[in-house]
Structure formats: C-alpha cells, structure tokens
C-alpha cells in the first residue's frame, strides 16, 4: 500500500521532469535549427551561391564603360573600367572584323588613328580614335585576359551635325516688313560653342543701334539661333550664312522687295509658308486660262 502511494507521488514528478527535459531539448533543437536556417539564409543572400562570381577576380564597372557618341572628324574616347585587375591585362578589339587594336598600353594596329591610354593606378583603360570616319561606327570589345576571357561591348556612334535654316533657300519680304531667320543645329552630341551669321560674306554686326540686327541663341539638344531685323530695308537683301562651330554652314537668299512687285512675298518669314498677293494671283490664273483656250482653238 505504501509502495503504491509512493509511486503515485513520484509519477507526476517524473512526468514534469520529462516534460521539462523535452522542452529544453526542443528549445535547443529549435535554436539549432534557427542558426542553421540563418546561416543558410545569409549564404543565399550573398555571392557564395553564385559559382561565376569571385570577388578576387576582375570585373567591369558597366556604368563607367558606357556607349559613346562622337562627331565625325573629331576624337572618340571609349572607356573600359575594370575592378580588381590584378596581374591581368585589358585589350580592345574591333568587333566587326575581330581586329586586335590594343593590349594594355600598347597599340597593335597599323592605323595610327587608334591609340591606347592608361594612367598608372587607374581602373580606366581608354581606346582613342582620332579623325573619326563613318566606318569607325560600331561595336568595340573590351576584353580581360582571364581564363576564359570576359568581355564587354561598347557601341560607338559617329554623327555629323546638320545645319538647317527654316524657309530657305529663298525668302521674299516687302520693305518695312520684319525679317526673321531661324537656324537650327541638329544631331550634335553637344551644343556648338558659337553660331556666327554672315551677310554677303561679312560677319553680321550685333550692334542693334547701328545695324538694326538682333541675334539670340538657345542651346540644347537642338541649338537654335535667330536673326531678327524689325524693319527690313533693301540693304538687307543678300545671302545670309549661318555658321555653327561644329557643323557645316547653311545659306539662305533674302530678297527685300521695294513696292508691290509681282513675286512670292512672305511678310513675316518665321515659317516655311509662302503667301502670294491676290491681285497678281488672279492675273496669273486669267492669263494662263487665255493661253490654254487659244491652244485649244488652234
């Protein structure tokens, strides 16, 4: 009897100890699982799981190795920035014919327009192309001498700015009307440093009090220069040339008409529209009709 009572008293104590031990083991197991999951999680977020990445190997800085747009006849500079270069070398290859151009700071082409440039300690490996030609446009490959080699393509665009004068090549206005010429420079990677206007080969004076000419220039993706004469006179007749710093010049013939001469007249030539005075238009149509009737009668 006493044995049964003792057993009945010991069972709850044993169970409580077993539960406590089990909970401690469970807590340790959870703790162990959390550490494991945490370690795996941190590994998954890093670069260790990427078999192609090695922080000790060279790699490209793509933001500093961008495509290039340069002017025809000028110099293009293609940059390739490489991190952790170590003892590796950087080469430039013309992609269209797989022609080796440079290795390190040395040039391996007979075309003297190409040259390599690299400052000691710098991460930038430059390819310079002087006196750009249209055929120079295309892809150029920057290659690191790893095993296997890794490459990055840089695209070169060669552009030639275009000069346009609105309303040309001939502009007609009446004496006393406003002369407004607009010259635009398109397809230029950078705004021209200046735009000069010439009248019959002579530089236009911008002194408004003396010449009555006002010139204003707005620089941007498309740079625009405007020449304005508020009250045109016969002396303003002639060839006007818009000559930007980085583009070919463009001409326009300005005709300042005295009185009501039968010609195509643009009273304010700030657009390409041409208006013909009505009386002369009616006279032209009437005379043309008479000629046609005479030919039919014959």
């Amino acid at each position: 009897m006493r044995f049964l009572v003792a057993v009945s008293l010991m069972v709850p104590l044993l169970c409580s100890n077993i539960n406590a031990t089990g909970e401690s083991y469970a807590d340790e197991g959870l703790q162990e699982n959390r550490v494991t999951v945490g370690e795996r999680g941190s590994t998954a977020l890093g670069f260790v799981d990427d078999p192609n990445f090695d922080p000790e190997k060279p790699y490209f800085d793509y933001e500093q190795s961008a495509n290039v747009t340069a002017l025809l006849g000028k110099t293009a500079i293609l940059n390739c920035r490489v991190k952790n270069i170590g003892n590796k070398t950087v080469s430039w290859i013309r992609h269209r014919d797989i022609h080796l151009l440079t290795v390190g700071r040395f040039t391996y082409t007979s075309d003297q327009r190409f040259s390599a440039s690299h400052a000691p300690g710098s991460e930038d490996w430059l390819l310079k192309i002087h006196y750009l030609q249209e055929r120079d446009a295309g892809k150029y490959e920057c290659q690191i001498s790893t095993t296997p080699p890794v490459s990055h393509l840089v695209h070169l665009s060669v552009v030639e700015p275009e000069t346009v004068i609105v309303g040309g090549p001939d502009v007609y206005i009446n004496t006393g009307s406003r002369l407004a010429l607009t010259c635009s420079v398109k397809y230029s990677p950078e705004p021209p440093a200046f735009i000069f206007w010439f009248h019959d080969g002579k530089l236009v004076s911008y002194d408004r009090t003396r010449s009555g000419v006002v010139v204003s220039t707005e620089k941007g993706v498309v740079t625009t220069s405007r020449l304005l004469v508020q009250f045109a006179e016969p002396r303003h007749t002639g060839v006007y040339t818009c000559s930007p710093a980085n583009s070919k010049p463009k001409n326009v013939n300005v005709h300042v008409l005295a009185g009501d001469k039968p010609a195509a007249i643009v009273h304010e030539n700030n657009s390409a529209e041409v208006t013909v005075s009505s009386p002369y238009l009616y006279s032209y149509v009437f005379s043309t009709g008479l000629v046609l009737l005479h030919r039919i009668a014959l």
Side-chain angles (χ1 to χ4, degrees), residues 8-88:
S8 63
L9 292 173
M10 291 176 64
V11 167
L13 293 174
L14 291 172
C15 291
S16 62
N17 288 335
I18 292 172
N19 290 335
T21 304
E23 289 177 0
S24 64
Y25 286 144
D27 290 340
E28 290 178 1
L30 286 174
Q31 185 67 24
E32 183 180 359
N33 288 337
R34 286 171 187 165
V35 171
T36 303
V37 171
E39 289 175 354
R40 290 177 181 172
S42 62
T43 301
L45 293 175
F47 297 99
V48 179
D49 286 348
D50 184 359
N52 297 321
F53 180 81
D54 186 344
E56 301 300 325
K57 289 184 178 181
Y59 62 93
F60 296 104
D61 184 342
Y62 296 107
E63 291 184 358
Q64 300 300 325
S65 309
N67 297 334
V68 175
T69 299
L71 287 172
L72 183 70
K74 301 297 183 179
T75 300
I77 301 178
L78 282 62
N79 185 43
C80 183
R81 180 170 293 182
V82 179
K83 303 283 188 178
N84 298 337
I85 184 64
N87 61 352
K88 305 300 181 183

Side-chain angles (χ1 to χ4, degrees), residues 33-176:
N33 288 337
R34 286 171 187 165
V35 171
T36 303
V37 171
E39 289 175 354
R40 290 177 181 172
S42 62
T43 301
L45 293 175
F47 297 99
V48 179
D49 286 348
D50 184 359
N52 297 321
F53 180 81
D54 186 344
E56 301 300 325
K57 289 184 178 181
Y59 62 93
F60 296 104
D61 184 342
Y62 296 107
E63 291 184 358
Q64 300 300 325
S65 309
N67 297 334
V68 175
T69 299
L71 287 172
L72 183 70
K74 301 297 183 179
T75 300
I77 301 178
L78 282 62
N79 185 43
C80 183
R81 180 170 293 182
V82 179
K83 303 283 188 178
N84 298 337
I85 184 64
N87 61 352
K88 305 300 181 183
T89 58
V90 174
S91 303
W92 280 100
I93 302 169
R94 187 166 55 203
H95 195 65
R96 62 178 169 86
D97 56 1
I98 317 299
H99 183 67
L100 180 64
L101 300 172
T102 66
V103 177
R105 289 181 291 174
F106 300 97
T107 304
Y108 287 86
T109 177
S110 58
D111 192 339
Q112 297 182 355
R113 298 182 304 115
F114 292 85
S115 63
S117 178
H118 174 71
S122 171
E123 297 176 334
D124 296 326
W125 300 82
L126 307 179
L127 173 66
K128 295 183 179 180
I129 309 175
H130 306 275
Y131 309 107
L132 273 178
Q133 303 174 9
E134 292 182 356
R135 62 186 179 90
D136 294 325
K139 296 178 181 179
Y140 290 81
E141 181 178 340
C142 175
Q143 186 180 96
I144 308 174
S145 62
T146 54
T147 306
V150 291
S151 300
H152 170 60
L153 293 178
V154 177
H155 189 273
L156 172 63
S157 298
V158 179
V159 297
E160 182 177 13
E162 180 183 356
T163 308
V164 178
I165 297 180
V166 179
D170 289 281
V171 171
Y172 298 86
I173 60 172
N174 280 330
T175 300

Side-chain angles (χ1 to χ4, degrees), residues 169-206:
D170 289 281
V171 171
Y172 298 86
I173 60 172
N174 280 330
T175 300
S177 298
R178 185 181 69 168
L179 170 62
L181 300 177
T182 301
C183 175
S184 299
V185 181
K186 303 178 180 179
Y187 315 122
S188 176
E190 58 184 12
F194 57 83
I195 297 179
F196 289 147
W197 284 92
F198 294 87
H199 179 208
D200 290 336
K202 297 180 180 180
L203 183 65
V204 172
S205 173
Y206 295 166

